[in-house]
Amino acid sequence: MSGAAAPTAAAAVLPRQAASLIVLRDTDQGPQVLLLRRADKPGDQNSGAAVFPGGLLDPADRQLAGLCDGLNSSAANLRLGLAEGGLAYWIAAVRECFEEAGLLFGHAGLQPIALVDHDAAALTALRQALHAGRASLADVCAQLGARLALDGLHYFSHWITPKGMPKVFDTRFFIARAPAGQQASHDATETVELLWLTPAQALDKARGLKLMNVTSHTLQQLAGFADVAAALAAARAQTEVPTNRPRLGLSADGKRAVANIHDWAYAEIGRLDPDGQGQVCTALVPGRGVWLSPRVLRVTADNGSMMTGPGTNAYFIGAADDWALLDPGPDDAGHIQALLAAAPGRISRILVTHTHKDHSPAAQAIARASGAPTFGRVADHPEWQDGSFAPTHVLVDGDRLELAPGVTLRVIHTPGHASNHLCYLLEEEKLLFTGDHLMQGSTVVINPPDGNMVAYLRALEGLFALELDWLAPGHGFLIERPHELVRKTIAHRLAREAKVLAALDGADQGLAEPELLASVYADTPAKLHAMALRSLRAHLDKLLAEERVVQHAGHWQRLPA
């Protein structure tokens, strides 16, 4: 596979401390952000990019606490979660913004400093001296009769350059309203152009700006604010600011790609490529085998859709010449051929999590080709099921399958999404193959009568008793922190149930299903309402069984507690 792979040694590069300032102003078009286009410079990994003002911390930044108003060292350290040195980040952000953009966050006496009252040529000379190291920020303040005003700068985000890059920066980003009485201008040294743009304008591909990953991500965040005040309020309201360290990978066509902390591939890249070599794919490519460990190989079917996400995952689990195939997927000739070609050795067993038509139908063809027996269960209700699946061996909760020396699967019966749903725990890796019990990026549909919300929640609760490190879902990438996802899934289901009850509270005559659907799933796109209706019915069935609601003449009503 082609692509720019970073050398392993790059992972040892020490991060350099830096600060950056996001400067905003209100306009009739909405808030605009200040961007500087960097000069083209050989060897600069950000050459030509449009960036926020910012740069490395200077040792002198630590000596300027006496020039600062609006923030002290203790408060700065607490806000950044540091033992010491936090104030230097604020000071560096102010220094870099003055040097690169000509804006100084300061005040003279009791008033904000108005640089338009100062000689433009003298200010330019002062900025150039600061850049060249002939003057310090203290000298700037002395010449302008100013002190630094830090109370207008609010901590916004924390980013560290991915492992594998030749230069690594540990950067704290601050956000502020552009100071009044000042005119921004680029420095004509490190930058060649200054731009005031709305976030949408900056992100518009037609404009052709080169944007670093962190800049693009930040602009997308800023696009959600109606004005500067809303952006500043959101920054102040953050109780914790997470550290974002993207990970390098490869796109489906082999080009270098970046995965951010909330991207589906992020955790998997960290597991498979801890040194940041950038060789793990950030997309699930149909038919392409991906080794998740020496015991596990994943192949994704080319059946991506609204229901299946990026496609259904099949997993080879085993060692040497003895491999089980879990969830062979749809009865598609191309997919079946890809599975047979990817098999690391003899297919000795075919396992199925459940018999929905994207998971089990290929079992027959694989069994004919390999002679392997099938393992699983038959659903209680035939609707939406693969009627061709008749397991050679019926599995029950607690069964243990010794696939090969050092490769053991424990069977966990997890009804709810389907009555016959099974998860499989690879005990040696604390890795749970979840089928559709848990999936990435979405909650699964619970479709009565075979789907059952009571059983689903009970089965989710049962996972807390298992020691788990990773989940391997039927749709998506590997998922870390399994119990955290279980808690979030349970909370989501109970919050949806609470919406059902709240909607019925305000309806004395009760509500029919269409009215309930519109209310309870108002946050769900209309094109998904047909699927959402199935889960709504599962919630209603649960509440009916608990005698919390009643149905009469097609309308649902809440019973008194």
Side-chain angles (χ1 to χ4, degrees):
M1 183 184 297
S2 62
T8 304
V13 175
L14 293 177
R16 295 189 280 181
Q17 296 174 326
S20 189
L21 185 53
I22 304 160
V23 182
L24 301 175
R25 70 181 185 186
D26 284 315
T27 72
D28 292 340
Q29 298 173 295
Q32 290 182 331
V33 60
L34 185 151
L35 292 169
L36 299 164
R37 191 162 62 83
R38 295 178 63 89
D40 291 316
K41 187 177 179 181
D44 180 1
Q45 63 197 38
N46 303 323
S47 177
V51 300
F52 308 116
L56 295 173
L57 270 62
D58 188 281
D61 295 330
R62 290 177 173 266
Q63 312 304 318
L64 300 182
L67 278 175
C68 299
D69 293 327
L71 186 71
N72 60 37
S73 295
S74 296
N77 292 336
L78 181 64
R79 186 69 178 115
L80 299 188
L82 298 174
E84 60 175 355
L87 193 64
Y89 286 92
W90 268 266
I91 295 170
V94 171
R95 173 176 52 76
E96 289 287 340
C97 188
F98 177 69
E99 178 186 315
E100 295 183 348
L103 299 178
L104 181 64
F105 287 81
H107 57 81
L110 299 178
Q111 298 297 322
I113 189 165
L115 295 186
V116 292
D117 298 335
H118 292 258
D119 180 72
L123 288 174
T124 298
L126 195 55
R127 291 168 61 192
Q128 291 173 343
L130 185 61
H131 173 72
R134 299 190 304 272
S136 67
L137 186 56
D139 296 329
V140 171
C141 289
Q143 186 164 329
L144 298 177
R147 291 177 59 81
L148 303 182
L150 303 185
D151 52 339
L153 277 67
H154 306 286
Y155 186 31
F156 188 75
S157 60
H158 180 203
W159 289 77
I160 302 176
T161 307
K163 289 182 180 180
M165 296 294 286
K167 295 179 182 179
V168 176
F169 301 95
D170 184 337
T171 307
R172 309 285 180 150
F173 286 79
F174 302 88
I175 190 168
R177 184 187 297 274
Q182 301 190 33
Q183 182 68 43
S185 62
H186 67 89
D187 63 8
T189 303
E190 291 187 351
T191 62
V192 296
E193 185 180 12
L194 183 143
L195 303 164
W196 282 105
L197 299 170
T198 67
Q201 290 170 339
L203 290 166
D204 186 356
K205 293 186 182 299
R207 187 173 294 275
L209 291 182
K210 177 183 177 181
L211 298 174
M212 298 154 51
N213 172 63
V214 59
T215 311
S216 178
H217 192 277
T218 302
L219 288 169
Q220 291 172 36
Q221 287 181 278
L222 296 175
F225 298 116
D227 52 32
V228 175
L232 301 183
R236 289 193 298 268
Q238 296 183 101
T239 56
E240 292 186 16
V241 176
T243 298
N244 297 280
R245 187 165 200 184
R247 289 169 176 162
L248 297 179
L250 295 175
S251 63
D253 58 2
K255 297 179 181 178
R256 192 172 78 174
V258 175
N260 290 306
I261 191 168
H262 296 300
D263 291 337
W264 285 16
Y266 185 83
E268 182 172 305
I269 292 173
R271 171 182 164 122
L272 303 186
D273 183 18
D275 295 326
Q277 296 185 63
Q279 295 286 5
V280 177
C281 198
T282 61
L284 292 170
V285 181
R288 182 182 297 175
V290 178
W291 282 101
L292 304 178
S293 80
R295 301 180 180 92
V296 182
L297 175 70
R298 181 184 64 216
V299 180
T300 303
D302 189 12
N303 66 334
S305 70
M306 188 167 59
M307 291 291 290
T308 61
T312 303
N313 292 329
Y315 295 95
F316 289 99
I317 310 160
D321 196 41
D322 197 351
W323 294 84
L325 174 58
L326 173 62
D327 276 357
D331 187 11
D332 174 82
H335 176 57
I336 291 167
Q337 183 57 42
L339 288 175
L340 293 173
R346 179 177 63 91
I347 301 174
S348 59
R349 298 173 179 84
I350 301 167
L351 312 177
V352 168
T353 59
H354 63 299
T355 52
H356 286 163
K357 294 179 182 179
D358 59 320
H359 285 263
S360 63
Q364 280 193 331
I366 299 294
R368 286 194 299 268
S370 65
T374 56
F375 295 72
R377 296 171 66 98
V378 175
D380 294 342
H381 302 274
E383 186 181 24
W384 307 105
Q385 304 295 332
D386 166 25
S388 71
F389 184 75
T392 311
H393 301 280
V394 176
L395 295 173
V396 298
D397 185 72
D399 281 347
R400 295 175 80 249
L401 307 175
E402 300 284 350
L403 304 184
V407 186
T408 310
L409 286 180
R410 190 195 320 168
V411 178
I412 317 292
H413 186 210
T414 50
H417 175 66
S419 60
N420 61 339
H421 197 288
L422 303 171
C423 291
Y424 296 83
L425 176 63
L426 179 55
E427 294 182 341
E428 288 79 4
E429 297 187 15
K430 301 175 185 177
L431 171 66
L432 186 69
F433 297 92
T434 66
D436 281 357
H437 190 51
L438 289 163
M439 62 188 296
Q440 193 173 45
S442 178
T443 52
V444 300
V445 175
I446 309 299
N447 185 31
D450 199 58
N452 183 288
M453 190 65 72
V454 174
Y456 182 64
L457 291 172
R458 186 183 300 123
L460 285 175
E461 291 279 359
L463 297 185
F464 289 126
L466 302 177
E467 192 173 354
L468 302 175
D469 286 343
W470 290 87
L471 304 178
H475 307 278
F477 293 84
L478 290 178
I479 301 170
E480 62 182 347
R481 297 190 291 275
H483 289 162
E484 180 178 313
L485 178 60
V486 174
R487 280 190 291 272
K488 288 180 178 178
T489 303
I490 293 172
H492 174 81
R493 294 294 185 181
L494 294 180
R496 191 70 74 180
E497 178 181 289
K499 285 187 174 184
V500 174
L501 294 173
L504 294 176
D505 274 341
D508 293 339
Q509 303 304 314
L511 294 174
E513 277 186 355
E515 298 168 303
L516 262 178
L517 182 66
S519 175
V520 175
Y521 287 88
D523 58 344
T524 301
K527 64 181 181 180
L528 300 179
H529 277 194
M531 289 186 293
L533 179 59
R534 304 175 193 175
S535 289
L536 173 63
R537 288 170 175 165
H539 279 294
L540 291 169
D541 286 348
K542 173 179 179 291
L543 293 170
L544 184 64
E546 294 169 347
E547 298 184 350
R548 300 167 72 186
V549 300
V550 65
Q551 187 183 30
H552 178 70
H555 283 63
W556 290 89
Q557 293 178 303
R558 184 171 184 177
L559 292 172

